[in-house]
Coordinates of all heavy atoms in Angstrom, one line a residue:
M1175 N 236.6 76.1 136.8 CA 237.9 76.4 137.5 C 238.8 77.3 136.7 O 239.5 78.1 137.4 CB 238.7 75.0 137.6 CG 237.9 74.0 138.4 SD 239.2 73.1 139.4 CE 238.1 72.0 140.2
K1176 N 238.7 77.4 135.4 CA 239.5 78.4 134.7 C 239.1 79.7 135.1 O 240.0 80.6 135.2 CB 239.3 78.1 133.2 CG 240.2 78.9 132.3 CD 240.0 78.6 130.9 CE 240.9 79.6 130.1 NZ 240.8 79.3 128.7
E1177 N 237.8 79.9 135.4 CA 237.4 81.3 135.8 C 238.0 81.8 137.0 O 238.3 82.9 137.2 CB 235.9 81.4 135.8 CG 235.3 82.7 136.2 CD 233.8 82.7 136.3 OE1 233.2 82.0 135.5 OE2 233.3 83.4 137.3
E1178 N 238.2 80.8 138.1 CA 238.8 81.3 139.2 C 240.2 81.7 139.0 O 240.7 82.6 139.6 CB 238.8 80.0 140.1 CG 239.5 80.2 141.5 CD 238.7 81.1 142.4 OE1 237.5 81.2 142.3 OE2 239.4 81.7 143.3
K1179 N 241.1 81.0 138.1 CA 242.4 81.5 137.9 C 242.4 82.8 137.2 O 243.5 83.5 137.4 CB 243.0 80.4 137.0 CG 243.4 79.1 137.7 CD 244.1 78.2 136.7 CE 244.2 76.8 137.4 NZ 244.9 75.8 136.4
E1180 N 241.5 83.3 136.6 CA 241.5 84.4 135.8 C 241.0 85.7 136.6 O 241.0 86.8 136.1 CB 240.7 84.4 134.5 CG 241.3 83.4 133.5 CD 240.5 83.3 132.2 OE1 239.6 84.0 132.0 OE2 241.0 82.4 131.4
R1181 N 240.4 85.4 137.8 CA 239.9 86.5 138.6 C 241.0 87.4 139.1 O 242.0 87.0 139.6 CB 239.2 86.0 139.8 CG 237.8 85.3 139.5 CD 237.2 84.7 140.7 NE 236.7 85.7 141.5 CZ 236.3 85.5 142.7 NH1 236.4 84.4 143.4 NH2 235.8 86.6 143.5
K1182 N 240.8 88.7 138.9 CA 241.7 89.7 139.4 C 241.9 89.7 140.9 O 241.0 89.4 141.5 CB 241.2 91.1 139.0 CG 242.2 92.2 139.3 CD 241.6 93.6 138.9 CE 241.4 93.6 137.4 NZ 241.1 94.9 136.9
Q1183 N 243.1 89.8 141.4 CA 243.5 89.8 142.8 C 244.1 91.2 143.0 O 244.9 91.8 142.2 CB 244.4 88.7 143.1 CG 243.8 87.4 143.1 CD 244.7 86.4 143.6 OE1 245.5 86.6 144.5 NE2 244.7 85.1 143.0
A1184 N 244.0 91.7 144.2 CA 244.7 92.9 144.7 C 245.0 92.7 146.1 O 244.3 92.2 146.9 CB 243.8 94.2 144.4
V1185 N 246.1 93.4 146.5 CA 246.5 93.5 147.9 C 247.0 94.9 148.1 O 247.7 95.5 147.4 CB 247.7 92.5 148.1 CG1 248.2 92.6 149.6 CG2 247.3 91.1 147.9
A1186 N 246.5 95.4 149.2 CA 246.8 96.9 149.6 C 247.8 96.9 150.8 O 247.6 96.1 151.7 CB 245.6 97.6 149.9
L1187 N 249.0 97.6 150.7 CA 249.9 97.6 151.7 C 249.9 99.0 152.3 O 249.6 100.0 151.7 CB 251.3 97.3 151.1 CG 251.5 96.0 150.5 CD1 252.8 95.8 149.8 CD2 251.1 94.8 151.4
T1188 N 250.4 99.1 153.5 CA 250.6 100.4 154.2 C 252.0 100.3 154.9 O 252.5 99.2 155.2 CB 249.6 100.8 155.2 OG1 249.8 102.1 155.6 CG2 249.6 99.8 156.4
Y1189 N 252.7 101.4 155.0 CA 254.0 101.5 155.7 C 254.1 102.8 156.3 O 253.9 103.8 155.7 CB 255.1 101.1 154.7 CG 256.4 101.3 155.4 CD1 256.9 100.3 156.3 CD2 257.3 102.2 155.2 CE1 258.0 100.4 157.0 CE2 258.5 102.4 155.8 CZ 258.9 101.4 156.7 OH 260.1 101.5 157.3
N1190 N 254.3 102.9 157.7 CA 254.6 104.0 158.3 C 256.0 104.0 158.8 O 256.3 103.2 159.8 CB 253.6 104.3 159.4 CG 253.9 105.6 160.2 OD1 255.0 106.1 160.2 ND2 252.8 106.2 160.7
N1191 N 257.0 104.8 158.3 CA 258.3 104.6 158.7 C 258.6 104.9 160.2 O 259.5 104.2 160.8 CB 259.2 105.8 157.8 CG 260.7 105.5 157.9 OD1 261.1 104.3 158.0 ND2 261.4 106.6 157.9
D1192 N 257.8 105.7 160.9 CA 258.0 105.9 162.2 C 257.4 104.8 163.2 O 257.8 104.7 164.3 CB 257.3 107.3 162.7 CG 257.9 108.4 162.0 OD1 259.1 108.5 161.7 OD2 257.1 109.4 161.7
E1193 N 256.6 104.0 162.7 CA 255.9 103.1 163.5 C 256.1 101.6 163.1 O 256.1 100.6 163.9 CB 254.3 103.3 163.5 CG 253.9 104.6 164.1 CD 252.5 104.8 164.0 OE1 251.7 103.9 163.7 OE2 252.0 106.0 164.2
D1194 N 256.3 101.4 161.7 CA 256.3 100.0 161.3 C 257.7 99.5 161.0 O 258.6 100.3 160.4 CB 255.5 99.8 159.9 CG 254.0 100.2 160.2 OD1 253.5 99.8 161.3 OD2 253.4 100.8 159.3
T1195 N 258.0 98.3 161.2 CA 259.3 97.7 160.8 C 259.4 97.2 159.3 O 260.4 97.1 158.7 CB 259.8 96.4 161.7 OG1 258.7 95.5 161.6 CG2 259.9 96.9 163.1
A1196 N 258.1 97.0 158.7 CA 258.0 96.6 157.3 C 256.6 96.9 157.0 O 255.7 97.0 157.7 CB 258.4 95.0 157.3
P1197 N 256.3 96.9 155.6 CA 255.0 97.1 155.2 C 254.1 96.1 155.7 O 254.5 94.9 155.9 CB 255.1 97.1 153.6 CG 256.5 97.4 153.4 CD 257.3 96.8 154.5
K1198 N 252.7 96.3 155.8 CA 251.8 95.3 156.2 C 250.6 95.3 155.3 O 250.3 96.4 154.7 CB 251.4 95.5 157.7 CG 250.6 96.7 158.0 CD 250.4 96.8 159.6 CE 249.8 98.1 159.9 NZ 249.6 98.2 161.3
V1199 N 250.0 94.2 155.3 CA 248.8 94.1 154.5 C 247.6 94.7 155.1 O 247.2 94.4 156.3 CB 248.4 92.6 154.1 CG1 247.1 92.4 153.5 CG2 249.5 91.9 153.4
I1200 N 246.8 95.6 154.5 CA 245.6 96.3 155.1 C 244.3 95.9 154.4 O 243.3 96.1 154.9 CB 245.8 97.8 155.1 CG1 246.0 98.5 153.8 CG2 246.9 98.3 156.1 CD1 245.9 100.0 153.7
A1201 N 244.5 95.3 153.2 CA 243.2 94.9 152.5 C 243.7 93.9 151.3 O 244.8 94.1 150.9 CB 242.5 96.0 151.8
K1202 N 242.8 93.1 151.0 CA 243.1 92.1 149.9 C 241.8 91.5 149.4 O 240.7 91.5 150.2 CB 244.1 91.0 150.3 CG 243.5 90.0 151.4 CD 244.6 89.0 151.7 CE 244.0 88.0 152.8 NZ 245.0 86.8 153.0
G1203 N 241.8 91.1 148.2 CA 240.5 90.5 147.6 C 240.7 90.0 146.2 O 241.7 90.3 145.6
K1204 N 239.6 89.4 145.8 CA 239.6 88.8 144.4 C 238.3 89.3 143.7 O 237.3 89.7 144.4 CB 239.6 87.4 144.4 CG 240.8 86.7 144.9 CD 240.7 85.2 144.9 CE 241.8 84.4 145.5 NZ 241.8 83.0 145.5
G1205 N 238.4 89.4 142.3 CA 237.2 89.8 141.6 C 236.7 91.2 141.9 O 237.3 92.1 141.8
F1206 N 235.4 91.2 142.3 CA 234.7 92.5 142.7 C 235.5 93.3 143.8 O 235.7 94.6 143.6 CB 233.4 92.3 143.0 CG 232.7 93.5 143.5 CD1 232.2 94.5 142.6 CD2 232.5 93.8 144.8 CE1 231.6 95.6 143.0 CE2 231.9 95.0 145.3 CZ 231.3 95.9 144.2
V1207 N 236.0 92.6 144.7 CA 236.7 93.3 145.8 C 238.1 93.9 145.3 O 238.4 94.9 145.7 CB 236.9 92.3 147.1 CG1 237.8 93.0 148.1 CG2 235.6 91.8 147.6
A1208 N 238.7 93.1 144.5 CA 239.9 93.5 143.8 C 239.7 94.8 143.0 O 240.5 95.8 143.1 CB 240.6 92.5 143.0
D1209 N 238.6 94.8 142.3 CA 238.3 96.0 141.5 C 238.0 97.2 142.3 O 238.4 98.3 142.0 CB 237.1 95.7 140.6 CG 237.3 94.7 139.5 OD1 238.4 94.6 139.0 OD2 236.4 94.0 139.0
E1210 N 237.3 96.9 143.4 CA 237.0 98.1 144.3 C 238.3 98.6 145.0 O 238.4 99.8 145.1 CB 235.9 97.6 145.4 CG 234.5 97.4 144.8 CD 233.9 98.6 144.2 OE1 233.9 99.7 144.8 OE2 233.6 98.5 142.9
L1211 N 239.2 97.8 145.4 CA 240.5 98.2 146.0 C 241.2 99.1 144.9 O 241.8 100.1 145.3 CB 241.3 97.0 146.4 CG 240.8 96.2 147.6 CD1 241.7 94.9 147.7 CD2 241.1 97.1 148.9
L1212 N 241.1 98.6 143.7 CA 241.9 99.4 142.6 C 241.2 100.7 142.4 O 242.0 101.7 142.2 CB 242.0 98.6 141.4 CG 242.9 97.3 141.4 CD1 242.7 96.5 140.2 CD2 244.4 97.8 141.7
K1213 N 239.9 100.8 142.4 CA 239.2 102.0 142.2 C 239.5 103.0 143.3 O 239.7 104.2 143.0 CB 237.6 101.8 142.1 CG 237.1 101.2 140.9 CD 235.6 101.0 140.9 CE 235.1 100.2 139.8 NZ 233.7 99.8 139.9
E1214 N 239.6 102.5 144.5 CA 239.9 103.4 145.6 C 241.3 104.0 145.6 O 241.5 105.1 145.9 CB 239.6 102.7 147.0 CG 238.1 102.6 147.4 CD 237.4 103.9 147.5 OE1 237.9 104.7 148.3 OE2 236.4 104.0 146.8
A1215 N 242.2 103.0 145.1 CA 243.6 103.4 145.1 C 243.8 104.6 144.1 O 244.4 105.6 144.3 CB 244.5 102.3 144.7
I1216 N 243.0 104.4 142.9 CA 243.0 105.4 141.8 C 242.5 106.7 142.3 O 243.0 107.8 142.1 CB 242.3 104.9 140.5 CG1 243.2 103.7 139.9 CG2 242.2 106.1 139.6 CD1 242.4 102.9 138.9
K1217 N 241.3 106.6 143.0 CA 240.6 107.7 143.6 C 241.4 108.6 144.4 O 241.3 109.8 144.5 CB 239.3 107.2 144.2 CG 238.5 108.3 144.8 CD 237.3 107.7 145.4 CE 236.4 108.6 146.3 NZ 235.3 107.8 147.0
H1218 N 242.3 107.9 145.2 CA 243.1 108.6 146.2 C 244.5 108.7 145.8 O 245.5 109.1 146.6 CB 242.9 107.9 147.6 CG 241.6 107.9 148.1 ND1 241.1 109.0 148.8 CD2 240.7 106.9 148.2 CE1 239.9 108.6 149.2 NE2 239.6 107.5 148.8
N1219 N 244.8 108.6 144.5 CA 246.2 108.8 143.9 C 247.2 107.9 144.7 O 248.4 108.3 144.9 CB 246.6 110.3 144.0 CG 245.8 111.0 143.0 OD1 245.4 110.7 141.9 ND2 245.3 112.2 143.5
I1220 N 246.8 106.7 144.9 CA 247.8 105.7 145.6 C 248.4 104.9 144.5 O 247.8 104.5 143.6 CB 247.0 104.8 146.6 CG1 246.4 105.6 147.7 CG2 247.9 103.6 147.1 CD1 245.5 104.7 148.5
P1221 N 249.8 104.9 144.5 CA 250.4 104.1 143.4 C 250.0 102.6 143.3 O 249.8 101.9 144.3 CB 251.9 104.2 143.9 CG 252.0 105.2 144.8 CD 250.7 105.4 145.5
I1222 N 249.9 102.1 142.2 CA 249.5 100.8 141.9 C 250.6 100.1 141.2 O 251.1 100.6 140.1 CB 248.2 100.7 141.1 CG1 247.1 101.4 141.9 CG2 247.8 99.3 140.7 CD1 245.9 101.6 141.0
Q1223 N 251.0 98.9 141.7 CA 252.0 98.1 141.1 C 251.3 96.8 140.5 O 250.9 96.1 141.4 CB 253.2 97.8 142.0 CG 254.2 97.0 141.4 CD 254.8 97.6 140.2 OE1 255.3 98.8 140.3 NE2 254.9 96.9 139.1
E1224 N 251.4 96.5 139.3 CA 250.7 95.3 138.8 C 251.9 94.2 138.7 O 252.6 94.4 137.9 CB 250.1 95.6 137.5 CG 248.9 96.5 137.6 CD 248.2 96.6 136.3 OE1 248.0 95.5 135.6 OE2 247.7 97.7 135.9
D1225 N 251.8 93.2 139.5 CA 252.7 92.1 139.4 C 252.0 90.9 140.0 O 251.9 90.7 141.3 CB 253.9 92.5 140.3 CG 255.0 91.4 140.1 OD1 254.7 90.2 140.1 OD2 256.2 91.8 139.9
P1226 N 251.5 90.1 139.1 CA 250.7 88.9 139.7 C 251.4 88.0 140.6 O 250.9 87.5 141.5 CB 250.4 88.1 138.4 CG 250.4 89.2 137.3 CD 251.5 90.1 137.7
S1227 N 252.8 87.8 140.4 CA 253.5 86.8 141.4 C 253.6 87.5 142.7 O 253.6 86.9 143.6 CB 254.8 86.5 140.7 OG 255.6 87.6 140.4
L1228 N 253.8 88.9 142.6 CA 254.0 89.5 144.0 C 252.5 89.5 144.7 O 252.5 89.2 145.9 CB 254.4 90.9 143.9 CG 254.6 91.8 145.1 CD1 255.5 91.2 146.1 CD2 255.0 93.2 144.7
V1229 N 251.5 89.7 144.0 CA 250.1 89.7 144.5 C 249.9 88.3 145.1 O 249.4 88.1 146.2 CB 249.1 90.1 143.5 CG1 247.7 89.8 144.0 CG2 249.2 91.5 143.2
Q1230 N 250.3 87.3 144.4 CA 250.1 85.9 144.8 C 250.8 85.6 146.1 O 250.2 85.1 147.1 CB 250.6 84.9 143.7 CG 250.4 83.5 144.1 CD 248.9 83.1 144.2 OE1 248.1 83.7 143.5 NE2 248.6 82.3 145.2
L1231 N 252.0 86.1 146.3 CA 252.8 85.9 147.5 C 252.1 86.7 148.7 O 251.9 86.2 149.8 CB 254.2 86.5 147.4 CG 255.2 85.7 146.7 CD1 256.5 86.4 146.4 CD2 255.5 84.4 147.5
L1232 N 251.7 87.9 148.4 CA 251.1 88.8 149.4 C 249.8 88.4 149.9 O 249.4 88.6 151.0 CB 251.2 90.2 149.0 CG 252.6 90.9 148.8 CD1 252.4 92.3 148.2 CD2 253.3 90.9 150.1
S1233 N 249.0 87.7 148.9 CA 247.7 87.4 149.3 C 247.6 86.2 150.3 O 246.6 85.9 150.8 CB 246.9 87.0 148.0 OG 247.4 85.8 147.3
Q1234 N 248.7 85.5 150.5 CA 248.8 84.5 151.5 C 248.9 85.1 152.9 O 248.7 84.3 153.8 CB 250.0 83.6 151.1 CG 249.9 83.0 149.8 CD 251.1 82.1 149.5 OE1 251.8 81.6 150.4 NE2 251.3 82.0 148.2
L1235 N 249.2 86.3 153.0 CA 249.2 87.0 154.3 C 247.9 87.3 154.8 O 247.0 87.6 154.0 CB 250.2 88.2 154.3 CG 251.6 87.9 153.8 CD1 252.3 89.3 153.7 CD2 252.4 87.0 154.7
E1236 N 247.8 87.5 156.1 CA 246.5 87.9 156.7 C 246.5 89.4 156.7 O 247.4 90.1 156.8 CB 246.3 87.4 158.1 CG 246.3 85.8 158.2 CD 245.2 85.2 157.5 OE1 244.0 85.8 157.5 OE2 245.4 84.1 156.9
I1237 N 245.3 90.0 156.9 CA 245.1 91.4 157.1 C 245.8 91.9 158.4 O 245.8 91.2 159.4 CB 243.6 91.7 157.1 CG1 242.8 91.3 155.9 CG2 243.4 93.2 157.4 CD1 243.1 92.0 154.5
N1238 N 246.5 92.9 158.3 CA 247.3 93.5 159.4 C 248.5 92.7 159.7 O 249.2 93.0 160.6 CB 246.5 93.7 160.7 CG 245.5 94.8 160.6 OD1 245.7 95.8 159.9 ND2 244.3 94.7 161.0
E1239 N 248.7 91.8 158.8 CA 250.0 91.1 159.0 C 251.2 91.8 158.4 O 251.1 92.2 157.2 CB 249.9 89.6 158.5 CG 251.2 88.8 158.6 CD 251.0 87.3 158.2 OE1 249.9 86.9 157.9 OE2 252.0 86.5 158.2
T1240 N 252.3 91.9 159.0 CA 253.6 92.5 158.4 C 254.2 91.6 157.5 O 254.2 90.4 157.7 CB 254.5 92.9 159.6 OG1 253.9 93.8 160.5 CG2 255.8 93.5 159.1
I1241 N 254.8 92.1 156.4 CA 255.4 91.2 155.5 C 256.6 90.6 156.1 O 257.4 91.2 156.8 CB 255.9 92.0 154.3 CG1 254.8 92.6 153.5 CG2 256.9 91.2 153.4 CD1 255.1 93.5 152.4
P1242 N 256.7 89.2 156.2 CA 257.8 88.5 156.8 C 259.1 88.8 156.2 O 259.2 89.0 155.0 CB 257.3 87.0 156.6 CG 256.4 87.0 155.5 CD 255.8 88.3 155.5
E1243 N 260.2 88.7 157.0 CA 261.5 88.9 156.6 C 261.9 88.1 155.4 O 262.7 88.5 154.5 CB 262.5 88.7 157.7 CG 263.8 89.3 157.6 CD 264.6 89.3 158.8 OE1 264.0 89.6 159.8 OE2 265.8 89.1 158.6
E1244 N 261.4 86.8 155.4 CA 261.7 85.9 154.2 C 261.3 86.5 152.9 O 261.8 86.0 151.8 CB 261.0 84.5 154.5 CG 261.3 83.9 155.7 CD 260.4 84.3 156.8 OE1 259.1 84.2 156.8 OE2 260.9 84.8 157.9
L1245 N 260.3 87.3 152.9 CA 259.8 87.9 151.5 C 260.5 89.2 151.2 O 260.4 89.7 150.1 CB 258.3 88.1 151.6 CG 257.5 86.9 151.7 CD1 256.0 87.3 151.7 CD2 257.7 86.0 150.5
Y1246 N 261.3 89.8 152.2 CA 262.0 91.1 151.8 C 262.8 91.0 150.5 O 262.7 91.9 149.7 CB 262.9 91.5 153.0 CG 262.3 91.9 154.3 CD1 260.9 92.0 154.4 CD2 263.0 92.4 155.3 CE1 260.4 92.4 155.6 CE2 262.5 92.8 156.5 CZ 261.2 92.8 156.7 OH 260.6 93.2 157.8
E1247 N 263.6 90.0 150.4 CA 264.5 89.9 149.3 C 263.8 89.7 147.9 O 264.0 90.4 147.0 CB 265.5 88.7 149.4 CG 266.6 88.7 148.3 CD 267.6 87.7 148.6 OE1 267.7 87.1 149.7 OE2 268.3 87.3 147.6
V1248 N 262.7 88.9 147.9 CA 261.9 88.7 146.8 C 261.2 90.0 146.4 O 261.3 90.3 145.1 CB 260.9 87.6 147.1 CG1 259.9 87.4 145.9 CG2 261.5 86.2 147.2
I1249 N 260.7 90.6 147.3 CA 259.9 92.0 147.0 C 260.9 93.0 146.5 O 260.6 93.6 145.6 CB 259.0 92.4 148.2 CG1 257.9 91.3 148.4 CG2 258.6 93.7 148.1 CD1 257.2 91.5 149.8
A1250 N 262.0 93.1 147.2 CA 263.0 94.0 146.7 C 263.5 93.8 145.3 O 263.6 94.7 144.5 CB 264.2 94.0 147.7
E1251 N 263.7 92.4 145.0 CA 264.2 92.1 143.6 C 263.0 92.5 142.6 O 263.4 93.0 141.5 CB 264.5 90.6 143.6 CG 265.8 90.4 144.3 CD 266.0 88.8 144.3 OE1 265.4 88.0 143.7 OE2 267.0 88.5 145.1
I1252 N 261.8 92.2 142.9 CA 260.7 92.5 142.0 C 260.7 94.0 141.7 O 260.6 94.4 140.6 CB 259.4 91.9 142.5 CG1 259.4 90.4 142.4 CG2 258.2 92.5 141.7 CD1 258.3 89.8 143.2
F1253 N 260.7 94.8 142.9 CA 260.6 96.2 142.6 C 261.8 96.8 141.9 O 261.7 97.8 141.1 CB 260.4 96.9 143.9 CG 259.0 96.8 144.3 CD1 258.6 96.2 145.6 CD2 257.8 97.3 143.7 CE1 257.3 96.1 146.0 CE2 256.6 97.2 144.0 CZ 256.3 96.6 145.3
A1254 N 263.1 96.3 142.2 CA 264.2 96.8 141.6 C 264.1 96.5 140.0 O 264.5 97.3 139.2 CB 265.4 96.1 142.1
F1255 N 263.7 95.3 139.7 CA 263.6 94.9 138.2 C 262.5 95.8 137.7 O 262.9 96.4 136.5 CB 263.0 93.5 138.2 CG 262.8 93.0 136.8 CD1 263.8 92.7 136.0 CD2 261.5 92.8 136.4 CE1 263.5 92.3 134.6 CE2 261.2 92.3 135.2 CZ 262.2 92.1 134.2
I1256 N 261.4 96.0 138.2 CA 260.3 96.9 137.6 C 260.9 98.3 137.5 O 260.6 99.0 136.5 CB 259.1 96.9 138.4 CG1 258.5 95.5 138.3 CG2 258.1 98.0 138.0 CD1 257.4 95.2 139.4
Y1257 N 261.6 98.8 138.3 CA 262.2 100.2 138.4 C 263.1 100.3 137.2 O 263.1 101.3 136.5 CB 262.9 100.4 139.7 CG 263.6 101.8 139.7 CD1 262.9 102.9 139.9 CD2 265.0 101.9 139.5 CE1 263.5 104.2 139.9 CE2 265.6 103.2 139.5 CZ 264.8 104.3 139.8 OH 265.5 105.5 139.8
R1258 N 264.0 99.3 136.9 CA 264.9 99.4 135.8 C 264.2 99.3 134.5 O 264.5 100.0 133.6 CB 265.9 98.1 135.9 CG 267.0 98.3 137.1 CD 268.1 97.3 136.9 NE 267.5 95.9 137.0 CZ 267.5 95.1 138.1 NH1 267.7 95.7 139.2 NH2 267.0 93.9 138.0
I1259 N 263.1 98.5 134.5 CA 262.4 98.5 133.2 C 261.6 99.8 132.9 O 261.7 100.4 131.8 CB 261.3 97.3 133.2 CG1 262.0 95.9 133.2 CG2 260.2 97.6 132.1 CD1 261.0 94.9 133.4
D1260 N 261.1 100.4 134.0 CA 260.4 101.7 133.9 C 261.4 102.8 133.4 O 261.0 103.6 132.7 CB 259.8 102.1 135.2 CG 258.5 101.3 135.5 OD1 258.0 100.7 134.7 OD2 258.1 101.4 136.7
K1261 N 262.6 102.7 133.8 CA 263.6 103.7 133.5 C 263.9 103.6 132.0 O 264.4 104.6 131.4 CB 264.8 103.7 134.4 CG 264.6 104.1 135.8 CD 264.2 105.6 135.8 CE 264.0 106.1 137.2 NZ 263.6 107.6 137.1
N1262 N 263.9 102.5 131.4 CA 264.2 102.3 130.1 C 263.1 102.5 129.0 O 263.2 102.5 127.9 CB 264.7 100.8 129.8 CG 266.0 100.7 130.4 OD1 266.8 101.5 130.5 ND2 266.3 99.4 131.0
I1263 N 261.9 102.8 129.6 CA 260.8 103.1 128.7 C 260.8 104.6 128.4 O 260.8 105.4 129.3 CB 259.4 102.7 129.4 CG1 259.4 101.2 129.6 CG2 258.3 103.2 128.6 CD1 258.2 100.7 130.4
P1264 N 260.7 105.0 127.0 CA 260.7 106.4 126.8 C 259.4 107.1 127.4 O 258.3 106.7 127.3 CB 260.7 106.4 125.3 CG 261.0 105.1 124.8 CD 260.7 104.2 125.9
S1265 N 259.6 108.4 127.9 CA 258.5 109.1 128.4 C 257.7 109.7 127.3 O 258.2 110.3 126.4 CB 259.1 110.1 129.4 OG 259.8 109.7 130.3

């Protein structure tokens, strides 16, 4: 059971400002699938945000499901926090 908890998870999102009202999940997976999602993101220069609690929330959504309004505030707070931390790290 401990091995299950340590398996890497990944969730891929997409957002088209002209068509979407919010980001939506386009892929998700654990273990090997998560590794492959990350490899593809790196290969295509897609930004990667590592946040286990955010991944846990988003992994509960279905593929092609738009992020529900109830999660907007949580996700915005997480990204704002990370942004502030990133700005304080010397380049």
Side-chain angles (χ1 to χ4, degrees):
M1175 297 218 178
K1176 187 176 180 182
E1177 184 179 320
E1178 178 68 26
K1179 289 182 183 178
E1180 294 178 4
R1181 289 177 71 194
K1182 185 182 293 183
Q1183 293 186 32
V1185 177
L1187 302 175
T1188 188
Y1189 177 72
N1190 181 330
N1191 193 36
D1192 295 329
E1193 298 175 11
D1194 300 324
T1195 57
K1198 64 181 173 183
V1199 175
I1200 56 169
K1202 62 181 183 172
K1204 294 180 182 179
F1206 175 77
V1207 174
D1209 289 337
E1210 291 301 306
L1211 286 171
L1212 292 170
K1213 284 179 190 175
E1214 285 299 309
I1216 292 167
K1217 180 177 166 183
H1218 296 284
N1219 295 318
I1220 296 170
I1222 297 171
Q1223 179 61 52
E1224 292 187 42
D1225 187 317
S1227 55
L1228 179 58
V1229 170
Q1230 183 62 36
L1231 283 171
L1232 295 174
S1233 68
Q1234 296 174 29
L1235 301 175
E1236 298 297 325
I1237 302 295
N1238 290 321
E1239 185 175 351
T1240 300
I1241 295 174
E1243 196 170 321
E1244 302 85 58
L1245 294 181
Y1246 288 2
E1247 186 174 342
V1248 173
I1249 292 169
E1251 287 175 10
I1252 290 169
F1253 282 119
F1255 176 74
I1256 292 166
Y1257 178 79
R1258 286 192 302 271
I1259 289 173
D1260 286 345
K1261 288 297 182 183
N1262 289 329
I1263 297 174
S1265 307

